[in-house]
Amino acid sequence: MARSTLPPAPAPAPALALALLLAACSLSPAGLAGAVRCNLQPVDSEVTYVTSQVPEGCVAHVPNATVDVHVLFLEFPRAPALLNLTVQMSKQNGSQAREVLLVLGLDKRVYLQLQAPGIPLQLAYHPENVINEIPQGINTIFLPASKSELLAWAGSKGAIASVAVLNNPKSILLRPDQAPRSPSSCDLQPNTDMGHRLEWWPHTEGSVRSCRLEGVAGHKQAHILRVLPGSGSEDRPRTVTVEVKLSCTSGDPDAVLILQGPPYVSWLIDANHSMQIWATGKYSLKIFPDKSINDHNHVLPDTPQGLLGEAERLNASVVASFVEVPLASVISLQASSCDSSVPVLPALLPAGRPQTSPTPVHTTPPKESCNADLLMALLQPNCSDDTMTLELKKNLILTLRCDISSLTFLDPRCQAEDRGDQLVLHSTYSSCGMKVTDNVVSNEVVVSLLSSSSPQRKAVQCLHTKSISLRLGLYLSPQFLQASDAIELGQQGFVQVSMAPQSREVLLKLDSCQLDLRPEADPVELIQNQAAKGNCVSLLDPSPRGDLRFSFLLRGHMVPTPKAGTLSCTVAMRLETSSLEVRRPVSMRLNIVSPDMPGKTLVLPAVLGITFGAFLIGALLTAALWYIYSHTRPPSKREPVVAVAAPASSESSSTNHSIGSTQSTPCSTSSMA
């Protein structure tokens, strides 16, 4: 008799109960998930996504602010990092865009690619953390690196409109538009949805994992995408665009796309190959965006093991990609191939199954090649009065995975020196192919990489400070007509900083200024960190030639009264094509004039005022005297002149005298009077 026809032997009661319990557990979803044998490992696939979810942040509505203040704290796993940052404002319907102050808190050095089209932007950051040039038209402010100090400083500039903390961002889009539905103040909260205000693309190396489902035959693939729920206060309906690009050369693969996310998420799918789709909520295809599909009877598990079990239930033998991302607006998945080659661990093979030669597998994480652009950005010249030096740390070269075979100036005989932990390339301004003009010393750095047949080249420049002279001038009128070396207590002074020779290639900024009145009085801070210090100091527009200008009002009463002072400024100079600044001091001696000082010298405006006043008084007095004279003299009758053939000499003389007296002018009359 066949074994299948024999009645089953009765089982002991305890064993029967245990068997029923195990059977019940195995039929439950948790039991099925626990039975899945699939070891996820990183593969050479790539996923990118755009999200507004941040680990910590806030958004505020500040409609009456004159300056939009935004703060970004950016954290990176290693340095240097490459960051794309775009500040973009919606259309203003003809109105002028408000000024934006963006404060960056960086924990590593970054190469910053910044764009802010049509926005008056001020960028505040720690100078040692940005290693490249800031685009023209963007004002920069140097700040300390402490997080608490940055927030306090930003709050002193105006109401903060947004704060965000980002981990390892690759690209950021900040929209400084108004947020009418947001609170009036910005209080940091964990797991915040920044909404329209901010979107960012994180670095996602190693985020795609894969495994083989043991015990399932065939070549069907599963691509699993799990979207994690956002903050609880933002459970509004939204659409997630999913782009799936598979590099298949032999037609459409036998594949299933599993999309799991919060119930308020719908999907718009854009795939370059046909595949089975299994999704929570409704979905539509990009080629038919108006046709939505919704399977209300199907619910996907919300755990990784549960989703692996779902792939096994759909007869997939391989999970070709498994990705977990935060709530995002766009997710793009690129798989390098369509075969079923994934990591297989022999220890996970079912017992008793003979080991066969598996298909070649991808067991290494994504390979990183040398980032030549970032390497060249690290090459920044250090300039002295007569030497240009470039230093490249070896640990940064290793971080960028670059193999350098040579580092030279334009003259290949000038090669970098190996100084243990860094490569140093240096030269005086008179050798190694240096080109010296009035204000600029320029050369070219050539880097040869083992991974590239053509060398990398970068133009480098130094400011020729020896050829530049700075001069301070004090003026007592806003027209800047005539310089003075004296100022009166209580008087407004106008200061101009000029450079010779003039050059459009060199940009100047007033870093700081002070008036030293010691020993009679303490120094007076006028400008600090490129900002006016107090209400009595104003930064003025530059002159048509580009000279820097500001004004200050000297205090009127000082005890004891200072008799002299020193006006000194620190000027930051940089080339138009570089962000590297050189600071130079410039000063001048001033005489301080007290209003009650006996015998004090009159300054030019006082002299001009007195002269004009005296002239005006004289003119008015002359006019008054002429008016009185013309209205008060007695009328006289003229005697008719009779022509005589031979007048006497006495009569002729008398007649001529009478005619002369009747022809006198107001000017002569006034002169006689």
Side-chain angles (χ1 to χ4, degrees), residues 74 76 81 99 118 126 129 134 143 158 209 212 227 248-249 256 260 340 437 518 543 552 557 570 622 661-662 670:
L74 309 180
F76 298 93
E99 184 178 1
H126 193 278
N129 287 338
I134 300 300
L143 296 177
R209 296 176 293 167
R212 183 186 297 279
V227 173
C248 301
T249 58
V256 58
Q260 191 275 327
S340 57
T437 60
R518 289 177 292 188
S543 71
F552 68 94
H557 300 284
T570 300
T622 301
S661 65
T662 58
S670 63

Side-chain angles (χ1 to χ4, degrees), residues 357-652:
S357 299
T359 310
V361 299
H362 304 285
T363 59
T364 58
K367 296 180 179 179
E368 298 182 22
S369 59
C370 172
N371 191 331
D373 292 337
L374 190 50
L375 176 69
M376 300 306 289
L378 293 174
L379 289 169
Q380 299 290 340
N382 296 318
C383 308
S384 64
D385 288 341
D386 57 1
T387 304
M388 179 187 294
T389 305
L390 297 100
E391 300 174 349
L392 195 54
K393 301 289 185 181
K394 288 185 178 180
N395 60 341
L396 296 179
I397 300 174
L398 292 176
T399 301
L400 297 176
R401 305 185 187 280
C402 297
D403 294 319
I404 298 178
S405 59
S406 69
L407 173 62
T408 70
F409 277 119
L410 188 60
D411 185 346
R413 296 172 296 180
C414 299
Q415 298 192 12
E417 301 176 6
D418 190 340
R419 296 186 180 176
D421 62 340
Q422 62 182 353
L423 300 177
V424 179
L425 182 64
H426 67 97
S427 170
T428 62
Y429 293 161
S430 59
S431 60
C432 293
M434 296 286 179
K435 182 180 178 182
V436 182
T437 60
D438 288 342
N439 299 321
V440 181
V441 181
S442 57
N443 206 319
E444 192 173 77
V445 176
V446 182
V447 181
S448 299
L449 301 172
L450 293 179
S451 58
S452 176
S453 58
S454 58
Q456 302 288 322
R457 298 177 179 271
K458 178 180 180 177
V460 289
Q461 293 178 322
C462 279
L463 194 61
H464 197 195
T465 55
K466 274 190 174 181
S467 65
I468 297 176
S469 63
L470 297 174
R471 181 178 178 274
L472 275 179
L474 175 69
Y475 300 81
L476 302 177
S477 69
Q479 288 75 31
F480 293 87
L481 296 177
Q482 182 172 347
S484 173
D485 61 355
I487 187 170
E488 186 176 312
L489 291 178
Q491 190 174 23
Q492 189 174 20
F494 299 86
V495 181
Q496 177 171 280
V497 183
S498 56
M499 177 185 69
Q502 288 286 333
S503 173
R504 293 184 178 180
E505 296 178 316
V506 182
L507 304 180
L508 303 181
K509 283 185 180 179
L510 275 175
D511 196 57
S512 63
C513 287
Q514 73 167 8
L515 180 59
D516 191 350
L517 301 174
R518 289 177 292 188
E520 292 86 1
D522 294 331
V524 180
E525 294 290 340
L526 304 176
I527 297 175
Q528 201 172 56
N529 294 328
Q530 301 178 8
K533 188 76 172 175
N535 298 327
C536 296
V537 183
S538 299
L539 296 177
L540 306 177
D541 292 333
S543 71
R545 298 196 317 164
D547 299 326
L548 303 178
R549 289 174 170 179
F550 72 94
S551 67
F552 68 94
L553 183 63
L554 190 60
R555 195 154 42 114
H557 300 284
M558 297 185 190
V559 179
T561 302
K563 298 179 180 179
T566 300
L567 177 63
S568 58
C569 293
T570 300
V571 181
M573 301 183 295
R574 70 175 179 90
L575 293 171
E576 191 177 21
T577 57
S578 173
S579 63
L580 299 175
E581 292 184 336
V582 178
R583 285 168 172 77
R584 286 270 301 272
V586 58
S587 62
M588 68 174 297
R589 190 73 174 167
L590 295 180
N591 295 319
I592 308 297
V593 181
S594 175
D596 55 356
M597 182 181 298
K600 65 178 182 180
T601 304
L602 293 177
V603 292
L604 179 63
V607 173
L608 293 176
I610 293 173
T611 303
F612 179 74
F615 169 77
L616 186 61
I617 291 173
L620 292 174
L621 182 59
T622 301
L625 291 174
W626 170 250
Y627 178 83
I628 294 171
Y629 171 76
S630 61
H631 285 75
T632 57
R633 67 176 181 173
S636 59
K637 294 182 179 180
R638 276 187 194 172
E639 296 294 333
V641 179
V642 180
V644 181
S649 59
S650 61
E651 293 177 349
S652 175

Side-chain angles (χ1 to χ4, degrees), residues 119-195:
I119 296 178
L121 177 65
Q122 289 191 74
L123 184 68
Y125 60 94
H126 193 278
E128 294 183 359
N129 287 338
V130 177
I131 59 178
N132 63 299
E133 300 93 5
I134 300 300
Q136 299 179 26
I138 296 177
N139 296 322
T140 57
I141 303 173
F142 295 151
L143 296 177
S146 168
K147 182 175 180 179
S148 59
E149 289 178 328
L150 288 183
L151 281 177
W153 183 88
S156 69
K157 298 301 178 181
I160 297 178
S162 68
V163 179
V165 179
L166 306 180
N167 294 324
N168 201 17
K170 177 170 60 176
S171 185
I172 301 173
L173 173 60
L174 175 66
R175 299 184 183 94
D177 300 321
Q178 291 300 312
R181 297 182 181 179
S182 301
S184 58
S185 62
C186 204
D187 299 320
L188 281 173
Q189 299 293 331
N191 301 321
T192 301
D193 188 347
M194 302 293 289

Side-chain angles (χ1 to χ4, degrees), residues 168-245:
N168 201 17
K170 177 170 60 176
S171 185
I172 301 173
L173 173 60
L174 175 66
R175 299 184 183 94
D177 300 321
Q178 291 300 312
R181 297 182 181 179
S182 301
S184 58
S185 62
C186 204
D187 299 320
L188 281 173
Q189 299 293 331
N191 301 321
T192 301
D193 188 347
M194 302 293 289
H196 177 75
R197 176 62 52 83
L198 183 141
E199 291 183 323
W200 65 294
W201 291 251
H203 284 280
T204 56
E205 293 85 356
S207 297
V208 183
R209 296 176 293 167
S210 179
C211 64
R212 183 186 297 279
L213 290 163
E214 301 304 330
V216 182
H219 298 282
K220 187 174 184 178
Q221 295 182 354
H223 297 274
I224 302 175
L225 176 59
R226 184 187 179 207
V227 173
L228 304 175
S231 57
S233 60
E234 296 293 337
D235 294 349
R236 53 184 173 83
R238 64 182 71 200
T239 300
V240 177
T241 300
V242 179
E243 301 172 350
V244 181
K245 307 297 180 185

